[in-house]
């Protein structure tokens, strides 16, 4: 079967300057809006509309507003000195003025001859009790009135590009839109009363009222679905290809795993047991594993990851765990040493801090296979790191790494299985769009015996009371985190810096009682501060968000977050997850500067209401938007022109289901509907998906 964009789509991918009315300058302006081809214009929909219905008179209307009315042209009044040019006109009931600044007199005389009848459309305002329409948008002969749309679409624009030029360009692109075979499922179209693709385009660009501009209008929903379907088909093809990739069966004996399980002082949750079985089954298969393990704070991902790594070791290979920060890597080392002690494993930590002979020894152990599990930061995928037989790569907090880094780690072995972990709950819509090419395992249970965390909102004005409460807690043997948003004083935001808060708390609570950790400290000082806190030598750890992930001190039962209104919901949830890990009842104090803005108040109230990370993630996306939730730089989120991940989660789910069903029935897209979907993929710039399919 020939591979390549079908000829019927060629006109949509040609140069913009081939469109009537689009010259090089207009094309350059459109390029600033990421519109470089006619197909981009098709998917740039109106953002609002203007009511241009013909009215008998302006009398009785509330101004300012846009009005279209037929008038008889009266007296012309040229400007006296610097004033405007005025033309007096009369509709069926009243007189008003058309006002022009710096006009050409000959053009006005020709366009608005006295005693002639014209249809004018524009914004009417009242000045000094007189109704005026300044520079009408349209001046037409009565016989031309039908050419004016009753509801005129308003498009996004850029400096130098007017609505008239944009509208003309869109119309020219619409004229090129071909009739294409239907790719949407017939039953779905009928159930949702959606038009065909070509009809949907026409309707979306010719709204008849405000209802047609809504995302859930039939035409717009249909076009959004097309985008989501092409995206989901692309992910499903990539996923099918990944599954066909030859892997290596890592079939563990279960001996080491059994020793670890026997040494546990608790019973694993049902979710941990289920997810471990999913991962081990993937590893035992002949196809390469690509799985996302998503679990809320404290759901027990470390045990699951260890059992997977043990299977790799039992089958004669090695496993690597890559963490985004050294603090988190060291925390993983401590946790795994404790959990894996009964199995007697050789676990090695490799970070950028390792130098000289110590580094050489570690590299030799990794290369010989003596290091069975290797934990590290970015240092793991450097050129000189060679594994004897890397079978499983575990990547923690995936959103902090680029996709390229993940792949580089996977290339350190032959057909390496990949397990990606995140403690940041991702709304299901985003998981489907960002990780749709991976299998998803969900840890949705907390270990038994975990006490709920009481979350309290406290005004910064009561900070002295908070310090006194902290003093009493320290006397009672408790430990606390105090999180500040900045390391240094900012000129732009009057936030208390960690350095200053550390000094103030030491003065109030005693020198030895308070430690400090932030990203700019030398690694040795950072380690010492965390070690003092873990050992109980310091009772309060003042920190920046460097402790968001990784620090695990069960005896710490108080979390103070200063200027909590400046943190995102996911960050607040992660920070709160540092406490509530021991037997003590725990408290999280969210200190805020009054008065709170509406969005900030909503975030803090949600924190007070729930500890459910997935509900928090959904609310975070609703309040901040999809890109911000994951961090736009490496979010990997697809760019959609019409579809909206925040509001159209249900459409995304329907598209995902449809794509999976389609490819199960027609994996090579060879049926009539499959051929139509191929055209959709080319239309949506998803050529790569078809190339993937062709190379199998």
């Amino acid at each position: 079967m020939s591979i390549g964009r079908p000829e019927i789509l060629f006109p949509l991918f040609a140069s913009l300057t081939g469109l009537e009315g689009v010259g090089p300058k207009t094309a350059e302006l459109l390029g600033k809006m990421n519109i470089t081809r006619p197909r981009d214009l098709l998917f740039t929909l109106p953002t609002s509309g203007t009511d241009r219905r013909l009215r008998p008179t302006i009398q009785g209307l509330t101004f300012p507003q846009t009005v279209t009315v037929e008038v008889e042209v009266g007296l012309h009044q040229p400007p006296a000195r610097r004033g405007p040019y005025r033309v007096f006109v009369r509709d069926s009931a009243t007189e008003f003025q058309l006002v022009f600044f710096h006009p050409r007199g000959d053009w006005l005389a020709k366009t608005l001859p006295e005693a002639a009848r014209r249809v004018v459309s524009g914004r009417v305002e009242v000045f000094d009790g007189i109704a005026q329409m300044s520079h009408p948008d349209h001046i037409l002969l009565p016989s031309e009135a039908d050419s004016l749309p009753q509801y005129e679409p308003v498009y996004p624009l850029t400096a130098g590009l007017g609505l008239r030029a944009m509208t003309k360009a869109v119309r020219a692109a619409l004229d090129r839109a071909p009739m294409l075979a239907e790719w949407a499922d017939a039953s779905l179209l009928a159930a949702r009363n959606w038009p065909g693709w070509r009809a949907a385009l026409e309707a979306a660009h010719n709204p008849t009222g405000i209802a047609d501009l809504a995302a859930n209008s039939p035409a717009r929903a249909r076009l959004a679905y097309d985008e989501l379907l092409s995206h989901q088909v692309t992910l499903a093809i990539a996923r099918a290809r990944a599954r066909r990739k030859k892997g290596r069966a890592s079939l563990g004996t279960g001996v080491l795993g059994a020793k670890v399980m026997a040494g546990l002082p608790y019973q694993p949750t049902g979710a941990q047991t289920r997810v471990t079985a999913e991962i081990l089954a993937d590893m035992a298969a002949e196809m390469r594993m690509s799985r996302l393990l998503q679990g809320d704070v404290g759901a027990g991902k470390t045990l699951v990851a260890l059992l997977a790594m043990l299977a790799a070791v039992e089958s004669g290979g090695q496993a690597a765990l890559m963490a985004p920060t050294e603090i988190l890597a060291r925390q993983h080392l401590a946790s795994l040493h404790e959990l894996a002690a009964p199995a007697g494993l050789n676990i090695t930590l490799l970070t950028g801090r390792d130098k000289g002979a110590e580094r050489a020894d570690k590299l030799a152990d990794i290369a010989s296979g003596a290091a069975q599990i290797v934990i590290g930061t970015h240092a793991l995928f450097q050129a000189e790191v060679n594994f004897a037989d890397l079978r499983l790569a575990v990547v923690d907090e995936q959103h902090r790494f680029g996709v390229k880094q993940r792949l580089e780690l996977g290339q350190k072995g032959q057909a390496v299985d990949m397990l990606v972990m995140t403690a940041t709950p991702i709304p299901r819509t985003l998981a489907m769009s960002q990780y749709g090419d991976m299998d998803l395992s969900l840890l949705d249970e907390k270990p038994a015996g975990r006490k709920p965390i009481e979350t309290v909102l406290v005004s910064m004005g009561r900070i002295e009371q908070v310090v006194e409460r902290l003093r009493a807690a320290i006397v009672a043997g408790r430990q606390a985190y105090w999180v500040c948003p900045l390391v240094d004083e900012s000129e732009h935001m009057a936030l208390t810096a960690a350095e200053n808060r550390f000094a103030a708390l030491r003065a109030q609570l005693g020198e030895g009682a308070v430690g400090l950790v932030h990203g700019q400290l030398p690694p040795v000082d950072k380690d010492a501060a965390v070690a003092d806190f873990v050992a109980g030598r310091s009772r309060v750890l003042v920190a920046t968000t460097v402790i968001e992930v990784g620090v695990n001190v069960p005896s710490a039962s108080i979390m103070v977050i200063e200027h909590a209104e400046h943190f995102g919901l996911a960050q607040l949830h992660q920070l709160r997850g540092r406490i509530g890990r021991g037997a003590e009842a725990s408290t999280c104090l969210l200190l805020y500067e009054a008065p709170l803005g509406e969005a900030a108040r909503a975030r803090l109230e949600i924190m007070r209401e729930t500890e459910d990370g997935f509900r928090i993630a959904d609310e975070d996306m609703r309040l901040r938007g999809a890109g911000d939730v994951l961090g736009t730089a490496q979010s990997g989120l697809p760019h959609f022109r019409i579809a909206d991940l925040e509001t159209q989660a249900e459409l995304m789910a329907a598209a995902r289901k449809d794509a999976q069903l389609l490819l199960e029935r027609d994996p090579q897209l060879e049926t009539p509907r499959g051929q139509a979907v191929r055209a959709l993929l080319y239309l949506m710039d998803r050529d790569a998906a078809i190339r993937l399919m062709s190379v199998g």
Side-chain angles (χ1 to χ4, degrees):
M1 184 176 292
S2 64
I3 301 296
R5 184 176 294 128
E7 273 190 49
I8 196 170
L9 294 178
F10 285 3
L12 296 182
F13 288 83
S15 167
L16 283 173
T17 52
L19 294 174
E20 187 185 344
V22 179
K25 188 176 179 203
T26 302
E28 187 183 336
L29 291 169
L30 288 167
K32 291 179 181 176
M33 299 166 64
N34 200 25
I35 296 170
T36 57
R37 300 156 302 180
R39 58 86 61 194
D40 302 333
L41 282 165
L42 295 183
F43 301 129
T44 304
L45 299 187
T47 50
S48 61
T50 304
D51 188 343
R52 300 275 184 199
R53 282 173 300 174
L54 190 63
R55 299 173 186 267
T57 178
I58 68 166
Q59 198 169 58
L61 298 180
T62 304
F63 301 116
Q65 71 165 287
T66 298
V67 185
T68 304
V69 65
E70 185 175 335
V71 298
E72 182 180 337
V73 181
L75 184 70
H76 281 230
Q77 187 182 81
R81 293 187 184 173
R82 295 184 181 178
Y85 193 114
R86 300 176 189 275
V87 179
F88 294 85
V89 296
R90 183 173 186 84
D91 63 25
S92 63
T94 189
E95 191 173 72
F96 61 99
Q97 297 175 4
L98 306 181
V99 177
F100 300 88
F101 294 89
H102 314 298
R104 290 196 336 265
D106 57 339
W107 177 81
L108 278 175
K110 185 179 173 185
T111 308
L112 291 163
E114 289 186 27
R117 297 196 70 78
R118 292 289 185 267
V119 172
V120 293
S121 183
R123 185 174 171 83
V124 177
E125 297 179 273
V126 176
F127 290 100
D128 295 331
I130 299 167
Q132 299 180 350
M133 183 186 289
S134 296
H135 291 274
D137 302 324
H138 301 275
I139 302 173
L140 305 167
L141 295 170
S143 60
E144 298 170 331
D146 287 348
S147 69
L148 195 64
Q150 293 208 335
Y151 193 77
E152 185 178 46
V154 175
Y155 290 93
L157 302 170
T158 189
L161 182 68
L163 180 60
R164 199 163 292 185
M166 180 67 176
T167 303
K168 192 170 184 180
V170 170
R171 297 290 146 201
L174 273 173
D175 289 342
R176 288 195 178 189
M179 295 297 294
L180 296 171
E182 184 57 74
W183 50 72
D185 181 68
S187 60
L188 184 73
L189 289 180
R192 299 190 181 233
N193 197 26
W194 282 349
W197 175 72
R198 187 73 181 67
L201 272 181
E202 286 288 347
H205 284 286
N206 294 285
T208 59
I210 198 162
D212 291 341
L213 298 168
N216 61 358
S217 68
R220 286 193 176 225
R222 157 73 211 244
L223 295 174
Y225 183 78
D226 292 341
E227 274 194 306
L228 296 172
L229 178 64
S230 70
H231 177 61
Q232 288 299 322
V233 168
T234 302
L235 286 178
I237 289 170
R239 187 172 177 174
R241 184 167 182 263
R243 282 179 169 164
R244 288 199 298 274
K245 268 188 184 173
K246 192 71 180 151
R248 281 193 304 163
S250 292
L251 191 57
T253 60
V255 173
L256 296 175
K259 287 180 180 177
V260 166
M261 296 298 278
L264 290 177
Y266 55 83
Q267 276 293 107
T269 64
Q272 283 176 309
T273 304
R274 182 190 74 241
V275 165
T276 302
E278 289 170 356
I279 293 166
L280 296 185
D282 272 6
M283 292 176 66
E286 292 288 343
M287 290 169 293
R288 204 180 301 187
M289 175 172 77
S290 180
R291 188 169 281 276
L292 173 68
L293 172 58
Q294 195 179 353
D296 205 348
V297 176
K301 291 182 299 302
T302 307
L303 175 63
V304 173
L306 173 61
L307 293 171
M309 290 191 283
L310 291 179
V313 173
E314 288 168 352
S315 59
Q318 294 163 289
L321 191 160
M322 183 165 74
T325 65
E326 198 170 310
I327 282 187
L328 183 51
R330 290 184 181 280
Q331 187 69 56
H332 275 309
L333 179 70
S335 303
L336 291 177
H337 261 311
E338 189 180 339
L339 283 170
L345 288 175
N346 183 347
I347 303 176
T348 298
L349 175 70
L350 183 72
T351 72
R353 205 194 300 184
D354 294 315
K355 299 283 185 281
E358 186 185 10
R359 181 175 180 81
D361 288 347
K362 287 185 176 183
L363 290 175
D365 282 351
I366 295 168
S368 70
Q372 296 163 296
I373 292 177
V374 185
I375 301 168
T377 54
H378 301 70
L380 282 186
F381 53 73
Q382 288 170 357
E384 72 267 32
V385 181
N386 294 301
F387 288 81
D389 182 13
L390 181 63
R391 284 176 172 261
L392 172 67
V394 182
V395 180
D396 197 17
E397 292 303 322
Q398 149 67 15
H399 66 288
R400 298 189 174 209
F401 291 106
V403 175
K404 181 170 173 281
Q405 292 167 322
R406 192 174 86 200
L407 293 174
E408 281 174 351
L409 182 59
Q411 285 160 3
K412 290 288 183 182
Q414 181 201 337
V416 177
D417 285 325
M418 184 68 68
L419 178 64
V420 169
M421 302 197 301
T422 178
T424 305
I426 304 168
R428 184 157 175 75
T429 326
L430 295 194
M432 284 192 293
S433 64
Q434 193 194 18
Y435 299 108
D437 57 334
M438 301 180 84
D439 294 301
L440 180 65
S441 285
L442 205 58
L443 275 176
D444 47 9
E445 282 179 67
K446 291 273 182 80
R450 278 230 164 181
K451 294 184 177 174
I453 298 169
E454 182 189 11
T455 301
V456 184
L457 273 56
V458 182
S459 162
M460 286 290 290
R462 293 169 55 200
I463 199 162
E464 292 308 318
Q465 291 171 254
V466 172
V467 174
E468 284 310 309
R469 181 170 171 180
L470 213 50
R471 192 195 309 278
I474 290 169
V475 170
R478 298 173 72 183
Q479 283 180 281
Y481 296 101
W482 188 300
V483 178
C484 300
L486 292 175
V487 176
D488 301 308
E489 288 288 2
S490 164
E491 291 177 9
H492 305 293
M493 300 165 82
L495 303 181
T496 311
E499 298 273 8
N500 289 0
R501 180 58 62 201
F502 169 64
L505 287 176
R506 274 212 315 182
Q508 291 166 297
L509 302 174
E511 287 225 356
V514 186
L516 172 69
V517 61
H518 59 67
Q520 292 172 27
L521 275 180
V524 178
D525 295 351
K526 208 185 295 182
D527 287 352
V530 172
D532 282 347
F533 190 62
V534 170
R537 290 187 290 273
S538 65
R539 311 305 296 171
V540 177
L541 185 62
V542 176
T544 56
T545 55
V546 74
I547 64 145
E548 181 185 333
V549 289
V551 178
N552 182 22
V553 183
S555 57
S557 57
I558 299 169
M559 169 66 71
V560 181
I561 303 175
E562 193 168 337
H563 284 286
E565 73 273 18
H566 291 284
F567 291 87
L569 260 177
Q571 221 175 13
L572 289 171
H573 181 61
Q574 286 281 337
L575 289 167
R576 181 171 61 183
R578 297 301 103 211
I579 59 172
R581 292 166 174 250
E584 288 255 24
S586 294
T587 307
C588 177
L589 300 173
L590 301 177
L591 301 186
Y592 66 89
E593 193 71 65
L596 275 176
E598 198 174 320
R601 179 168 292 283
R603 280 201 302 277
L604 300 188
E605 290 289 355
I606 290 158
M607 287 296 295
R608 185 159 65 179
E609 282 173 27
T610 183
E611 284 183 63
D612 180 345
F614 291 97
R615 185 188 157 201
I616 285 169
D618 285 331
E619 291 291 339
D620 200 17
M621 188 169 90
R622 188 179 63 77
L623 290 169
R624 290 200 295 152
D628 287 336
V629 167
L630 290 176
T632 49
Q634 290 184 343
S635 69
L637 282 175
H639 171 71
F640 296 125
R641 286 186 181 269
I642 298 170
D644 179 0
L645 288 178
E646 280 111 73
T647 61
Q648 295 181 312
E650 180 270 332
L651 270 190
M652 174 71 92
R656 179 180 169 85
K657 189 175 172 187
D658 194 7
Q660 287 173 335
L661 199 60
L662 170 70
L663 286 163
E664 279 171 22
R665 294 172 177 168
D666 183 14
Q668 290 299 312
L669 299 180
E670 293 168 324
T671 63
R673 187 184 173 207
Q675 293 287 344
V677 169
R678 280 175 176 258
L680 169 67
L681 293 174
Y682 280 116
L683 177 67
M684 296 298 182
D685 265 343
R686 305 273 179 184
D687 309 30
I690 295 168
R691 286 196 296 275
L692 270 181
M693 209 161 38
S694 67
V695 296

